[in-house]
Amino acid sequence: VRLLRTFGEVRASRSGSLALVPTMGFLHEGHLSLIEAAGELAETVVVSLFVNPLQFDQADDLARYPRALDRDAGLAEAAGADILFAPGVSEMYPLEPATRVSVAPLTVEMEGAHRRGHFEGVATVVAKLFAGLQPDVALFGRKDAQQLAVLSRMAADLSFPVRVVGYPTVRESDGLALSSRNVLLSPAERKSAVAISRGLLAAAAAVAAGERVGVALEGVVAAEVVGAGGLDLEYAALADAATATRIPALDRPAFLAVAVRAGAIRLIDNVGLTPDGETDPGVRLTRPSILYAKER
Ligand code: AMP
């Protein structure tokens, strides 16, 4: 894998079509599934790695975010990345950006309500990646379902000639959605955190059994999370998959999203749902995640 630091270097070294996988690094199997899928979609696979200060509303969350460039380079290469684009803050933001991308109607609720400025930061940095790297396709995880809705809409609204595609959530073997933040959980928090996916799976089972009422589905998740102890529920919401706004009933493609605080660590997760009763809980690892490997 070639480690490049500037937009210009990436544009100069691409050959043929380009697939982009934007990340903040500390890669896990969720990221690797996107990198592997990218290899099927384009000739050149670029993984960007940038811990974007603009999207953090909490300074301590930014400071504590795990970073490991050498580890990530090896993992990205093994998954099929051609280029690792790791710009410094001065390449990404040579000036304090006066131009910001706001996808306002899609960011009022859920993550938008709980993390001030978060999606403006995400949309701005991804718009810069789209403009500066000119990918043909960009891959994102459905783990961040509201983010996927926001970025799909941003690309359409701004006429970026890029196809935005979503991929299933990858989970640890007990069901906890993979997140770089999982390594920051204490053993007790890690144990409680499994209630998040358990609640979402219980709600998905309720959908399969015929339940379509939003508050009922949200209640199933909330009960599991609150019952686990040690977790603070921020929200459980049934939301329209395209507009990321809460809906009273499952009458269109949707996701049931949840945000939880486990001590100082914030975790989010969701399941995709359709009115036909189809559910998209993602996929599970059968082995411990590389997040926990001592050596890569
Ligand atoms: P991040 O590094 O957390 O910003 O994530 C980079 C990309 O990986 C985003 O498109 C995320 O949605 C995706 N991603 C993160 N965690 C997972 C997961 N557990 N399964 C699938 N995709 C994920």
Side-chain angles (χ1 to χ4, degrees):
V1 72
R2 299 177 61 193
L3 175 64
L4 302 178
R5 299 287 191 180
T6 69
F7 286 105
E9 286 171 324
V10 178
R11 285 194 303 271
S13 31
R14 73 181 279 176
S15 58
S17 56
L18 192 154
L20 172 66
V21 180
T23 82
M24 297 200 300
F26 214 82
L27 302 180
H28 53 60
E29 288 87 345
H31 302 115
L32 301 185
S33 72
L34 298 176
I35 299 169
E36 284 163 14
E40 308 281 312
L41 299 181
E43 282 137 283
T44 303
V45 173
V46 177
V47 175
S48 66
L49 195 166
F50 182 65
V51 182
N52 177 29
L54 221 57
Q55 74 187 67
F56 283 80
D57 55 337
Q58 306 281 339
D60 53 338
D61 188 25
L62 174 62
R64 116 163 54 84
Y65 202 87
R67 293 163 168 90
L69 183 60
D70 290 347
R71 169 189 181 278
D72 288 344
L75 291 169
E77 173 160 288
D82 301 297
I83 295 170
L84 186 61
F85 175 50
V89 174
S90 62
E91 172 70 7
M92 190 61 84
Y93 300 118
L95 301 169
E96 168 82 14
T99 306
R100 309 268 176 135
V101 179
S102 162
V103 192
L106 282 72
T107 62
V108 175
E109 301 177 27
M110 300 181 288
E111 292 306 281
H114 285 84
R115 302 185 69 191
R116 293 220 147 267
H118 170 66
F119 282 122
E120 190 177 283
V122 171
T124 300
V125 80
V126 173
K128 289 176 66 76
L129 290 169
F130 286 180
L133 302 178
Q134 299 167 5
D136 298 284
V137 59
L139 297 85
F140 297 91
R142 293 203 284 262
K143 150 106 178 355
D144 301 283
Q146 188 173 14
Q147 170 174 280
L148 178 60
V150 166
L151 296 176
S152 301
R153 185 61 183 266
M154 188 263 299
D157 286 347
L158 296 181
S159 305
F160 280 112
V162 59
R163 192 156 60 92
V164 172
V165 285
Y167 285 84
T169 300
V170 182
R171 302 178 175 283
E172 299 194 30
S173 57
D174 67 357
L176 179 66
L178 280 163
S179 164
S180 308
R181 291 187 176 86
N182 291 358
V183 298
L184 304 174
L185 296 168
S186 73
E189 290 162 354
R190 174 63 188 80
K191 227 174 144 190
S192 302
V194 72
I196 302 165
S197 56
R198 202 166 57 225
L200 289 170
L201 285 181
V207 168
E211 185 62 75
R212 295 291 182 273
V213 176
V215 288
L217 297 171
E218 293 161 1
V220 169
V221 182
E224 280 289 344
V225 166
V226 173
L231 303 177
D232 285 331
L233 179 69
E234 279 193 359
Y235 64 80
L238 179 70
D240 182 308
T243 64
T245 53
R246 203 158 162 238
I247 50 176
L250 178 55
D251 57 2
R252 65 199 95 171
F255 57 86
L256 181 62
V258 58
V260 158
R261 272 184 191 283
I265 309 306
R266 207 168 165 278
L267 300 171
I268 62 169
D269 197 356
N270 72 90
V271 281
L273 302 169
T274 72
D276 299 341
E278 285 164 43
T279 67
D280 173 21
V283 298
R284 275 187 203 215
L285 299 178
T286 52
R287 293 183 300 184
S289 169
I290 52 173
L291 279 177
Y292 306 107
K294 289 269 178 317
E295 299 281 311
R296 176 176 52 75

